[in-house]
């Protein structure tokens, strides 16, 4: 399944690059010159890659969601309380995390796109006008321009990578709360814990699989949020 997903996403990148290149080559010249050439390069190289990554993430989201539904159906037959706790913890974690990071992810996505465009523009202008730059002594200006854009892109990339990693740890903690919460409920109900060990063991095994799947879903939300500015620019 993963192989088919990756192949499909890569195929969509090929299709989109061909479509975008064809569109650019057929533009009226006045429309073509209304944008800096770095925007076209940025779209073909970076935005298409983010578009492909978003498709892959969405398909993996459906795949992991199917697994969660399957495991959840089994848990419903065994213990409805565990499913209620699982849904509450999962949805609670998602909405809180999404609410906190939503605007910052969008801003980081914009920063990454703009700084990438400025880097490409600086490289293009400095390479194509190298003779003039050396005559005028402007090498330092373009070096600073590219360096500044590169640092901005690096900061945005670090933030986005971090936001994509954190959900894994959030879900690991959530799984611990799920198991401890189930123990607490059984103790309050006066259930003989020894008789509940098999079910607790099954919940633990299910949680081991549900934790990474839920973390992937939270990570997918991060990727999609961060890619929206690029995909909007690609569509335009």
């Amino acid at each position: 399944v993963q192989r088919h997903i990756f192949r499909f996403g890569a195929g969509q990148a090929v299709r989109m690059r061909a479509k975008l290149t064809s569109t650019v080559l057929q533009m009226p010249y006045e429309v073509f010159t209304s944008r800096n050439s770095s925007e076209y390069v940025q779209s073909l190289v970076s935005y298409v890659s983010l578009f492909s990554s978003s498709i892959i993430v969405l398909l993996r989201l459906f795949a992991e969601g199917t697994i969660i539904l399957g495991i959840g159906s089994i848990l419903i037959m065994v213990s409805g309380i565990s499913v209620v706790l699982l849904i509450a913890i999962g949805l609670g974690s998602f909405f809180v995390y999404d609410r906190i990071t939503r605007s910052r992810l969008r801003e980081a996505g914009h920063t990454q796109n703009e700084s990438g465009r400025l880097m490409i523009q600086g490289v293009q202008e400095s390479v194509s006008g190298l003779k003039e730059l050396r005559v005028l002594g402007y090498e330092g200006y373009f070096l600073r321009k590219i360096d500044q854009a590169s640092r901005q892109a690096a900061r945005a990339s670090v933030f986005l990578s971090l936001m994509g990693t954190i959900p894994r740890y959030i879900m690991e903690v959530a799984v611990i709360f799920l198991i401890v919460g189930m123990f607490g409920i059984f103790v309050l109900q006066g259930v003989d814990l020894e008789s509940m060990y098999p079910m607790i063991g099954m919940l633990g095994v299910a949680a081991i699989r549900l934790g990474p799947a839920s973390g992937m879903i939270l990570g997918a939300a991060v990727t999609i949020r961060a890619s929206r500015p690029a995909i909007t620019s690609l569509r335009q």
Side-chain angles (χ1 to χ4, degrees):
V1 170
Q2 296 298 325
R3 178 172 176 269
H4 283 295
I5 288 175
F6 289 131
R7 287 186 63 183
F8 181 79
Q12 291 304 304
V14 173
R15 181 187 68 83
M16 182 58 69
R17 282 199 176 95
K19 183 177 181 180
L20 183 59
T21 302
S22 175
T23 301
V24 172
L25 293 177
Q26 295 176 19
M27 275 184 179
Y29 189 71
E30 301 79 22
V31 177
F32 175 80
T33 55
S34 65
R35 286 188 172 95
N36 190 284
S37 60
S38 62
E39 293 186 41
Y40 300 119
V41 176
Q42 175 81 336
S43 296
L44 281 165
V45 176
S46 300
Y47 294 169
V48 169
S49 296
L50 288 171
F51 169 75
S52 173
S53 298
S54 297
I55 288 178
I56 290 172
V57 163
L58 281 172
L59 292 176
R60 293 187 68 193
L61 190 65
F62 284 115
E64 295 295 330
T66 303
I67 292 172
I68 289 177
L69 287 175
I71 295 176
S73 300
I74 296 173
L75 291 179
I76 286 175
M77 293 186 289
V78 176
S79 174
I81 297 175
S82 64
V83 177
V84 172
L85 275 177
L86 184 67
I87 293 174
I89 293 173
L91 290 180
S93 300
F94 176 80
F95 284 117
V96 170
Y97 187 73
D98 185 63
R99 188 65 178 268
I100 293 173
T101 61
R102 181 186 305 175
S103 59
R104 296 186 66 188
L105 287 171
R106 191 178 296 116
E107 182 182 348
H110 278 297
T111 301
Q112 191 175 46
N113 296 340
E114 182 61 19
S115 56
R117 187 189 67 79
L118 290 174
M119 277 193 292
I120 293 173
Q121 181 180 348
V123 171
Q124 282 183 317
E125 292 175 350
S126 59
V127 170
S128 61
L130 183 60
K131 185 188 298 183
E132 291 81 358
L133 291 182
R134 288 187 175 178
V135 170
L136 298 172
Y138 274 15
E139 297 95 333
Y141 168 77
F142 282 94
L143 178 61
R144 288 191 298 273
K145 180 179 180 180
I146 294 171
D147 183 67
Q148 182 179 4
S150 180
R151 291 178 185 277
Q152 289 178 345
R155 284 194 292 269
S157 177
V158 168
F159 175 76
L160 293 174
S161 298
L162 182 63
M163 291 300 101
T165 304
I166 287 177
R168 170 191 164 192
Y169 301 106
I170 292 177
M171 296 317 300
E172 286 179 357
V173 174
V175 165
I176 294 173
F177 274 109
L178 173 65
I179 301 300
V180 173
M182 289 302 299
F183 265 110
I185 290 173
F186 293 148
V187 169
L188 291 175
Q189 291 178 343
V191 177
D192 181 16
L193 290 181
E194 288 190 9
S195 65
M196 301 305 298
Y197 285 159
M199 191 180 76
I200 291 294
M202 190 190 71
L203 288 175
V205 172
I208 289 173
R209 185 61 187 88
L210 290 174
S214 303
M216 187 269 158
I217 290 174
L218 279 177
V222 171
T223 300
I224 293 169
R225 290 273 186 203
S227 300
R228 282 182 65 183
I231 294 174
T232 300
S233 298
L234 184 63
R235 178 171 56 83
Q236 293 171 346

